[in-house]
Amino acid sequence: MIQPVTPDYAALEATPVATTPFAHVVVPHFITPADLRALATSMPDIRSGGSFPPAALSLSPLMAGLVAELEGPRLRQAIATKFDLDLDAAPTMLTLRGRTRAKDGRIHRDSDSKRVTVLLYLNPADEAAWARHEGCLRLLRNGHDLEDFAAEIPPVNGTLLIFPNGPDTWHGHRQYVGPRHTIQLNYMTNDTRARNELRRHRLSALTKRLPWVA
């Protein structure tokens, strides 16, 4: 019997909201070390860059269970309470990444159709690039200077990052090329733009499963 991954919700509930450079929460070891070791042998085989919907991948039962848990009501309610948001009717969009390309990590803010961004990092801490600050997400004070950051989050050890999106939620990371396992979950708006984005998300799941797509 596969023991499901149990995120550390108590740690999330106990972590205060940081306000600089914008409201966010960072929870180290949201995925416990034992669960992270189990997941290490269950990662989907993602050989190219970009984001992949779960339906585009062959997920192990352990990873599929984690995806279902993240899209479930417990995390939704914890985030709503933490940031004083009403997320009851917010659609979700979840993607997985397995590799980072040279063009990734440029300074950006997420689209207006994404109300909240949730990032879960599933990489071991022994990659030398993290010590060089490559691929470590920076929460920035502006939209043009990657070195002007208020927080830097190495993508390791089951760390969870959550932030509501806004006009100044700039973030990015130094260039890194290589394996970098991330789950991104977004709570979406209920408008035409979000519906179009979700429609593209579903189409992506179909096309990325086709045998001629790398």
Side-chain angles (χ1 to χ4, degrees):
M1 175 123 181
I2 296 174
Q3 187 70 27
V5 173
T6 305
D8 191 348
Y9 291 107
L12 170 57
E13 291 162 2
T15 303
V17 175
T19 58
T20 304
F22 46 80
H24 69 277
V25 166
V26 178
V27 185
H29 302 293
F30 183 65
I31 303 301
T32 67
D35 281 342
L36 198 62
R37 286 193 295 271
L39 284 168
T41 61
S42 301
M43 295 294 183
D45 184 19
I46 303 176
R47 302 181 185 181
S48 60
S51 298
F52 291 79
L57 302 167
S58 297
L59 298 182
S60 68
L62 192 65
M63 183 61 72
L66 174 58
V67 165
E69 178 68 30
L70 295 175
E71 291 195 290
R74 190 168 182 184
L75 182 60
R76 179 189 294 261
Q77 185 55 55
I79 294 172
T81 300
K82 180 69 63 177
F83 292 99
D84 193 23
L85 298 171
D86 181 0
L87 297 176
D88 287 349
T92 59
M93 184 171 71
L94 186 145
T95 56
L96 299 93
R97 284 177 174 262
R99 296 191 66 84
T100 297
R101 303 161 294 188
K103 68 179 182 178
D104 294 327
R106 295 170 183 168
I107 295 174
H108 68 285
R109 51 177 292 273
D110 292 345
S111 70
D112 291 335
S113 59
K114 296 174 179 177
R115 291 182 60 190
V116 180
T117 292
V118 181
L119 295 166
L120 179 62
Y121 294 116
L122 302 175
N123 306 285
D126 57 0
E127 168 62 57
W130 317 141
R132 298 193 299 268
H133 304 276
E134 298 167 5
C136 299
L137 193 70
R138 292 177 172 181
L139 307 186
L140 305 172
R141 295 187 177 91
N142 57 66
H144 58 268
D145 186 357
L146 190 60
E147 299 304 316
D148 189 5
F149 61 94
E152 183 178 69
I153 299 95
V156 301
N157 291 342
T159 295
L160 180 74
L161 167 65
I162 308 167
F163 58 90
N165 286 304
D168 299 316
T169 53
W170 300 104
H171 53 284
H173 61 73
R174 283 185 178 177
Q175 188 179 88
Y176 167 75
V177 177
R180 187 174 178 272
H181 292 279
T182 309
I183 297 177
Q184 178 168 334
L185 170 68
N186 290 103
Y187 295 95
M188 309 292 287
T189 58
N190 280 296
D191 55 23
T192 300
R193 181 181 297 180
R195 286 192 291 273
N196 288 339
E197 191 161 348
L198 287 164
R199 191 176 298 112
R200 290 193 298 271
H201 176 72
R202 290 190 290 269
L203 179 61
S204 175
L206 173 63
T207 58
K208 286 181 176 179
R209 288 195 72 92
L210 296 177
W212 57 82
V213 178

